Coordinates of all heavy atoms in Angstrom, one line a residue:
K272 N 6.9 4.9 -5.9 CA 7.9 5.8 -5.5 C 7.4 6.9 -4.6 O 8.2 7.4 -3.7 CB 8.5 6.5 -6.8 CG 9.5 7.6 -6.6 CD 9.8 8.3 -7.9 CE 10.7 9.5 -7.7 NZ 11.0 10.2 -9.0
D273 N 6.1 7.2 -4.7 CA 5.6 8.3 -3.8 C 5.3 7.8 -2.4 O 4.6 8.5 -1.6 CB 4.3 8.9 -4.5 CG 3.2 7.9 -4.6 OD1 3.3 6.8 -4.2 OD2 2.1 8.4 -5.1
M274 N 5.7 6.5 -2.1 CA 5.6 6.0 -0.7 C 4.2 5.5 -0.4 O 3.9 5.2 0.8 CB 6.1 6.9 0.3 CG 7.6 7.3 0.1 SD 8.2 8.6 1.2 CE 7.4 10.1 0.5
F275 N 3.3 5.4 -1.3 CA 1.9 4.9 -1.1 C 1.9 3.4 -1.5 O 2.5 3.0 -2.5 CB 0.9 5.6 -2.0 CG 0.4 6.9 -1.3 CD1 1.1 8.1 -1.5 CD2 -0.8 6.9 -0.7 CE1 0.6 9.3 -0.9 CE2 -1.3 8.1 -0.1 CZ -0.6 9.3 -0.2
V276 N 1.1 2.6 -0.7 CA 0.6 1.3 -1.1 C -0.8 1.5 -1.5 O -1.6 2.0 -0.8 CB 0.7 0.3 0.0 CG1 0.1 -1.0 -0.4 CG2 2.2 0.1 0.4
R277 N -1.1 1.1 -2.8 CA -2.5 1.2 -3.3 C -3.1 -0.1 -3.6 O -2.4 -1.0 -4.1 CB -2.5 2.1 -4.5 CG -2.1 3.6 -4.3 CD -2.0 4.4 -5.6 NE -1.8 5.8 -5.3 CZ -0.6 6.4 -5.1 NH1 0.5 5.6 -5.3 NH2 -0.5 7.6 -4.9
V278 N -4.3 -0.3 -3.2 CA -5.0 -1.5 -3.4 C -6.1 -1.3 -4.5 O -6.9 -0.3 -4.4 CB -5.7 -2.1 -2.1 CG1 -6.4 -3.4 -2.4 CG2 -4.6 -2.3 -1.1
Y279 N -6.2 -2.2 -5.5 CA -7.1 -2.0 -6.6 C -8.1 -3.2 -6.6 O -7.7 -4.4 -6.3 CB -6.4 -2.0 -8.0 CG -5.6 -0.8 -8.2 CD1 -4.4 -0.5 -7.7 CD2 -6.1 0.2 -9.1 CE1 -3.7 0.6 -8.0 CE2 -5.4 1.4 -9.4 CZ -4.2 1.6 -8.8 OH -3.5 2.7 -9.1
D280 N -9.3 -2.9 -7.0 CA -10.2 -4.0 -7.3 C -9.9 -4.5 -8.7 O -9.8 -3.7 -9.7 CB -11.7 -3.4 -7.3 CG -12.7 -4.5 -7.5 OD1 -12.9 -4.9 -8.7 OD2 -13.4 -4.9 -6.6
E281 N -9.7 -5.8 -8.8 CA -9.3 -6.4 -10.1 C -10.4 -6.2 -11.2 O -10.1 -6.0 -12.4 CB -8.9 -7.9 -9.9 CG -8.7 -8.6 -11.2 CD -7.5 -8.1 -12.0 OE1 -6.6 -7.4 -11.5 OE2 -7.4 -8.5 -13.2
S282 N -11.6 -6.3 -10.8 CA -12.7 -6.3 -11.8 C -12.9 -4.9 -12.3 O -13.2 -4.7 -13.5 CB -14.0 -6.9 -11.2 OG -14.4 -6.1 -10.1
T283 N -12.8 -3.9 -11.5 CA -13.1 -2.5 -11.9 C -11.8 -1.7 -12.2 O -11.9 -0.6 -12.8 CB -13.9 -1.8 -10.9 OG1 -13.1 -1.6 -9.7 CG2 -15.2 -2.5 -10.6
K284 N -10.6 -2.2 -11.8 CA -9.3 -1.5 -11.9 C -9.4 -0.2 -11.1 O -8.6 0.7 -11.5 CB -8.9 -1.3 -13.3 CG -9.0 -2.6 -14.2 CD -8.1 -3.7 -13.7 CE -8.0 -4.8 -14.7 NZ -9.2 -5.6 -14.8
S285 N -10.2 0.0 -10.1 CA -10.3 1.2 -9.4 C -9.6 1.0 -8.0 O -9.6 -0.1 -7.4 CB -11.7 1.6 -9.2 OG -12.5 0.6 -8.5
V286 N -9.1 2.1 -7.5 CA -8.4 2.1 -6.1 C -9.5 2.0 -5.1 O -10.5 2.7 -5.0 CB -7.6 3.4 -5.9 CG1 -7.0 3.4 -4.5 CG2 -6.5 3.5 -6.9
I287 N -9.3 1.0 -4.2 CA -10.3 0.8 -3.1 C -9.6 1.1 -1.7 O -10.3 1.2 -0.7 CB -10.9 -0.6 -3.0 CG1 -9.8 -1.6 -2.9 CG2 -11.7 -0.8 -4.3 CD1 -10.3 -3.0 -2.6
A288 N -8.3 1.3 -1.7 CA -7.6 1.6 -0.4 C -6.3 2.2 -0.8 O -5.6 1.8 -1.7 CB -7.4 0.4 0.5
E289 N -5.9 3.2 0.0 CA -4.6 3.8 -0.1 C -3.9 3.9 1.3 O -4.5 4.4 2.2 CB -4.6 5.2 -0.6 CG -4.9 5.3 -2.1 CD -4.7 6.7 -2.7 OE1 -5.2 7.7 -2.0 OE2 -4.2 6.9 -3.8
M290 N -2.7 3.3 1.4 CA -2.0 3.4 2.7 C -0.9 4.4 2.5 O 0.0 4.3 1.7 CB -1.4 2.0 3.0 CG -2.3 1.1 3.8 SD -3.7 0.5 2.8 CE -3.0 -0.9 2.1
A291 N -1.0 5.5 3.3 CA -0.2 6.7 3.0 C 1.2 6.6 3.7 O 1.4 5.8 4.6 CB -1.0 7.9 3.6
P292 N 2.1 7.5 3.2 CA 3.4 7.6 3.9 C 3.3 7.9 5.3 O 2.3 8.5 5.8 CB 4.1 8.7 3.1 CG 3.4 8.8 1.8 CD 2.0 8.5 2.1
G293 N 4.4 7.7 6.1 CA 4.4 8.0 7.5 C 4.7 9.5 7.7 O 5.3 10.2 6.9
W294 N 4.2 10.0 8.8 CA 4.5 11.3 9.3 C 4.2 11.4 10.8 O 3.3 10.8 11.3 CB 3.6 12.4 8.5 CG 2.1 12.1 8.6 CD1 1.4 11.3 7.8 CD2 1.2 12.6 9.6 NE1 0.1 11.3 8.2 CE2 -0.1 12.1 9.3 CE3 1.3 13.5 10.7 CZ2 -1.2 12.4 10.0 CZ3 0.2 13.8 11.4 CH2 -1.1 13.2 11.1
G295 N 5.1 12.1 11.5 CA 4.9 12.2 12.9 C 5.0 10.9 13.6 O 5.9 10.1 13.4
D296 N 3.9 10.6 14.4 CA 3.8 9.3 15.1 C 3.0 8.3 14.3 O 2.8 7.2 14.7 CB 3.1 9.5 16.4 CG 3.9 10.4 17.4 OD1 5.1 10.4 17.3 OD2 3.3 11.1 18.2
V297 N 2.6 8.6 13.0 CA 1.9 7.7 12.2 C 2.8 6.8 11.4 O 3.7 7.3 10.7 CB 0.9 8.5 11.2 CG1 0.2 7.5 10.3 CG2 -0.1 9.3 12.0
I298 N 2.7 5.5 11.5 CA 3.5 4.6 10.9 C 3.2 4.5 9.4 O 2.1 4.5 9.0 CB 3.4 3.2 11.4 CG1 3.7 3.1 12.9 CG2 4.3 2.2 10.7 CD1 3.4 1.8 13.6
G299 N 4.3 4.6 8.6 CA 4.1 4.5 7.1 C 5.5 4.6 6.5 O 6.5 4.8 7.2
H300 N 5.6 4.4 5.2 CA 6.9 4.5 4.5 C 7.4 5.9 4.4 O 6.6 6.8 4.2 CB 6.8 3.8 3.2 CG 6.8 2.3 3.3 ND1 7.8 1.6 3.7 CD2 5.8 1.4 3.0 CE1 7.5 0.3 3.7 NE2 6.3 0.1 3.2
G301 N 8.8 6.0 4.4 CA 9.4 7.2 4.2 C 10.3 7.3 3.0 O 11.1 8.2 2.8
N302 N 10.2 6.3 2.1 CA 11.0 6.2 0.9 C 10.3 5.2 -0.1 O 9.2 4.7 0.2 CB 12.4 5.8 1.2 CG 13.4 6.5 0.2 OD1 13.1 6.6 -1.0 ND2 14.5 7.0 0.8
R303 N 10.9 5.0 -1.2 CA 10.3 4.1 -2.2 C 10.0 2.7 -1.7 O 10.8 2.2 -0.9 CB 11.3 4.0 -3.4 CG 11.6 5.4 -4.0 CD 12.5 5.3 -5.2 NE 13.0 6.6 -5.6 CZ 13.4 6.9 -6.9 NH1 13.4 5.9 -7.8 NH2 13.9 8.1 -7.1
I304 N 9.0 2.2 -2.2 CA 8.5 0.8 -1.8 C 8.9 -0.2 -3.0 O 8.4 0.0 -4.1 CB 7.0 0.8 -1.6 CG1 6.7 1.8 -0.5 CG2 6.5 -0.6 -1.2 CD1 5.2 2.1 -0.4
F305 N 9.7 -1.2 -2.6 CA 10.1 -2.1 -3.7 C 9.6 -3.5 -3.5 O 9.8 -4.4 -4.4 CB 11.7 -2.2 -3.6 CG 12.3 -1.1 -4.4 CD1 12.7 0.1 -3.8 CD2 12.6 -1.2 -5.8 CE1 13.3 1.1 -4.5 CE2 13.2 -0.2 -6.5 CZ 13.5 1.0 -5.9
A306 N 8.8 -3.8 -2.5 CA 8.2 -5.1 -2.3 C 6.9 -5.0 -1.6 O 6.8 -4.2 -0.6 CB 9.2 -6.0 -1.5
V307 N 5.9 -5.7 -2.1 CA 4.6 -5.8 -1.5 C 4.0 -7.2 -1.6 O 4.1 -7.8 -2.6 CB 3.6 -4.7 -2.1 CG1 3.4 -5.0 -3.6 CG2 2.3 -4.7 -1.4
K308 N 3.5 -7.7 -0.5 CA 3.0 -9.1 -0.4 C 1.7 -9.1 0.4 O 1.6 -8.5 1.4 CB 4.0 -10.0 0.2 CG 5.3 -10.2 -0.5 CD 5.2 -10.9 -1.8 CE 6.6 -11.0 -2.5 NZ 6.5 -11.6 -3.8
W309 N 0.7 -9.8 -0.1 CA -0.5 -10.1 0.6 C -0.2 -11.3 1.6 O 0.2 -12.3 1.2 CB -1.7 -10.5 -0.3 CG -2.2 -9.4 -1.1 CD1 -1.8 -8.9 -2.3 CD2 -3.4 -8.6 -0.8 NE1 -2.6 -7.9 -2.7 CE2 -3.6 -7.7 -1.9 CE3 -4.3 -8.7 0.2 CZ2 -4.6 -6.8 -1.9 CZ3 -5.4 -7.7 0.2 CH2 -5.5 -6.8 -0.8
R310 N -0.5 -11.1 2.9 CA -0.4 -12.2 3.8 C -1.8 -12.9 3.9 O -1.8 -14.2 3.9 CB -0.1 -11.7 5.2 CG 0.2 -12.8 6.2 CD 0.4 -12.4 7.6 NE 0.7 -13.5 8.4 CZ 0.8 -13.4 9.8 NH1 0.6 -12.3 10.4 NH2 1.1 -14.5 10.5
D311 N -2.9 -12.2 3.9 CA -4.2 -12.8 3.9 C -5.1 -11.7 3.3 O -4.6 -10.6 2.9 CB -4.7 -13.3 5.2 CG -4.6 -12.2 6.3 OD1 -5.1 -11.1 6.1 OD2 -4.1 -12.5 7.4
E312 N -6.4 -11.9 3.3 CA -7.3 -10.9 2.6 C -7.4 -9.6 3.4 O -7.8 -8.6 2.7 CB -8.7 -11.5 2.6 CG -9.3 -11.8 4.0 CD -10.7 -12.4 3.9 OE1 -11.2 -12.5 2.7 OE2 -11.3 -12.7 4.9
N313 N -6.9 -9.5 4.6 CA -7.0 -8.3 5.4 C -5.6 -7.7 5.7 O -5.5 -6.6 6.3 CB -7.7 -8.5 6.7 CG -9.1 -8.9 6.5 OD1 -9.8 -8.4 5.6 ND2 -9.6 -9.9 7.2
T314 N -4.5 -8.3 5.2 CA -3.2 -7.9 5.6 C -2.2 -7.9 4.4 O -2.1 -8.8 3.7 CB -2.6 -8.9 6.7 OG1 -3.5 -9.1 7.7 CG2 -1.3 -8.3 7.3
I315 N -1.6 -6.7 4.3 CA -0.5 -6.5 3.3 C 0.8 -6.2 4.0 O 0.8 -5.4 5.0 CB -0.9 -5.4 2.3 CG1 -2.1 -5.9 1.4 CG2 0.3 -5.0 1.4 CD1 -2.6 -4.8 0.5
I316 N 1.9 -6.7 3.5 CA 3.2 -6.4 4.0 C 4.0 -5.7 2.9 O 4.0 -6.2 1.8 CB 3.9 -7.6 4.6 CG1 3.1 -8.3 5.6 CG2 5.3 -7.3 5.1 CD1 3.6 -9.6 6.2
S317 N 4.7 -4.6 3.3 CA 5.5 -3.9 2.3 C 6.8 -3.5 2.9 O 7.0 -3.4 4.1 CB 4.7 -2.6 1.8 OG 4.5 -1.8 2.8
A318 N 7.8 -3.2 2.0 CA 9.2 -2.8 2.4 C 9.8 -2.1 1.3 O 9.5 -2.2 0.1 CB 9.9 -4.1 2.8

């Protein structure tokens, strides 16, 4: 709901990456995120 995509390490259950909401010219979400998919080990798609 807070517009963040968070990536966790499965073994430690700790956050290893946070993709923040958008602001200004920075691309990011501006509302709740209802879908997230891994495309490959380096790419996540959210909407």
Side-chain angles (χ1 to χ4, degrees):
K272 176 185 174 182
D273 67 1
M274 302 173 285
F275 274 83
V276 173
R277 294 176 173 89
V278 180
Y279 287 80
D280 182 286
E281 171 64 15
S282 61
T283 65
K284 309 299 188 291
S285 59
V286 176
I287 60 170
E289 284 189 321
M290 274 71 86
W294 54 274
D296 295 331
V297 177
I298 299 173
H300 282 295
N302 213 319
R303 302 180 190 205
I304 302 166
F305 277 92
V307 60
K308 300 290 179 184
W309 288 83
R310 185 186 185 190
D311 55 47
E312 61 181 357
N313 299 316
T314 311
I315 290 173
I316 302 176
S317 60

